[in-house]
Amino acid sequence: MINILIFGPPGSGKGTQSVKLAEKFNLSHHSTGDMLRAEIAAGTELGKKMSSIMSKGELVPDEVVIEMIADKIDSTKGVAGFLFDGFPRTVVQTDELEKMLNARGMKIDSMLVLNVDHDELVKRLIVRAEQSGRPDDMDPAVIENRINVYKAKTEPIIEYCRKRGIYQSVNGMGTIEEIFERLSGMIKKILK
Ligand code: B4P
């Protein structure tokens, strides 16, 4: 089993690319953002609590997403590995993921970081807001906050993974197909 983190700021294409990569390489795709939005859509107590945090562009508490991911790791079978999309988002989450995987005889094999210019990130999220109606994409101030939260709380994970020799940078500019080809080439090498 291989374990890959797809990493990058909001709008960098993590979700977009993860869906395609999971299908191509028989990986189990786990997006904490999708899981949280499903809770909101289902009107659960958890969803109600998380909704206001997400609509401001803040991160939900570490323990909430860690529990969601632990459940998925234990219930997923018959795949070549896991593709974690939008998780981990803090160093605490990264530590916990590493412990969870180690306890099951696995490790984080690679962190693929999508690099995209700031203006392009904002442009993509504004376009998505028109189609998806996601509240966190509607307000330019919330988009800026999400990017700032990424820099302050999520980017430090890069150093964590660099020290473990698993950090790989990817050019996230270009068409969805071009970026998919770049990422596919990297995953083929990881699988060898
Ligand atoms: P996410 O769901 O992870 O949202 P995101 O960062 O915006 O990324 P997403 O994957 O949706 O977008 P993508 O880059 O693919 O998180 C949402 C919120 O949930 C967070 O702000 C936080 O509150 C909470 N949360 C989630 N996980 C958490 C965690 N672990 N800890 C704490 N809180 C957590 O793409 C964006 C758009 O760009 C799409 O419309 C796409 O079509 C377009 N696009 C992609 N690639 C393109 C390209 N090459 N060219 C043009 N457009 C492109």
Side-chain angles (χ1 to χ4, degrees):
M1 293 273 274
I2 57 158
N3 294 292
I4 298 173
L5 313 182
I6 290 278
F7 203 86
S12 56
K14 303 180 294 287
T16 310
Q17 296 294 336
S18 294
V19 170
K20 291 165 70 66
L21 292 167
E23 195 189 348
K24 178 164 178 164
F25 294 102
N26 184 30
L27 299 171
S28 183
H29 169 210
H30 299 292
S31 156
T32 40
D34 287 350
M35 290 176 209
L36 291 163
R37 281 186 290 277
E39 294 283 338
I40 295 171
T44 65
E45 279 310 308
L46 179 70
K48 282 177 200 154
K49 281 189 204 150
M50 298 307 121
S51 167
S52 67
I53 301 175
M54 291 169 70
S55 62
K56 286 185 225 136
E58 297 295 329
L59 297 183
V60 309
D62 288 333
E63 57 275 18
V64 170
V65 284
I66 288 165
E67 199 182 323
M68 286 176 159
I69 287 289
D71 290 347
K72 294 287 177 192
I73 291 178
D74 288 330
S75 61
T76 305
K77 305 271 180 275
V79 291
F82 291 99
L83 196 55
F84 296 100
D85 156 16
F87 177 89
R89 256 179 158 95
T90 62
V91 171
V92 170
Q93 292 178 22
T94 318
D95 263 333
E96 288 300 320
L97 176 64
E98 198 168 49
K99 279 188 216 151
M100 269 188 254
L101 294 174
N102 290 347
R104 292 158 178 82
M106 297 185 280
K107 60 182 180 16
I108 304 172
D109 293 282
S110 180
M111 174 207 221
L112 304 176
V113 182
L114 289 159
N115 289 300
V116 176
D117 296 347
H118 175 274
D119 290 355
E120 174 70 12
L121 295 175
V122 176
K123 197 174 90 190
R124 287 181 190 177
L125 294 176
I126 287 171
V127 170
R128 180 167 67 184
E130 287 163 12
Q131 298 145 7
S132 73
R134 259 177 65 167
D136 56 345
D137 290 341
M138 299 286 202
D139 181 347
V142 172
I143 293 178
E144 286 302 335
N145 189 39
R146 286 160 65 197
I147 295 171
N148 289 335
V149 167
Y150 171 82
K151 286 184 186 152
K153 297 191 175 160
T154 308
E155 254 182 4
I157 302 172
I158 291 181
E159 201 42 43
Y160 183 107
C161 289
R162 211 194 289 269
K163 282 190 190 141
R164 283 161 174 71
I166 55 173
Y167 160 81
Q168 286 179 281
S169 170
V170 189
N171 176 3
M173 298 288 287
T175 66
I176 289 171
E177 277 311 314
E178 283 166 349
I179 300 159
F180 179 60
E181 286 309 312
R182 284 174 208 144
L183 288 165
S184 294
M186 295 167 98
I187 293 182
K188 272 184 202 151
K189 283 188 192 151
I190 298 165
L191 283 167
K192 268 186 191 162

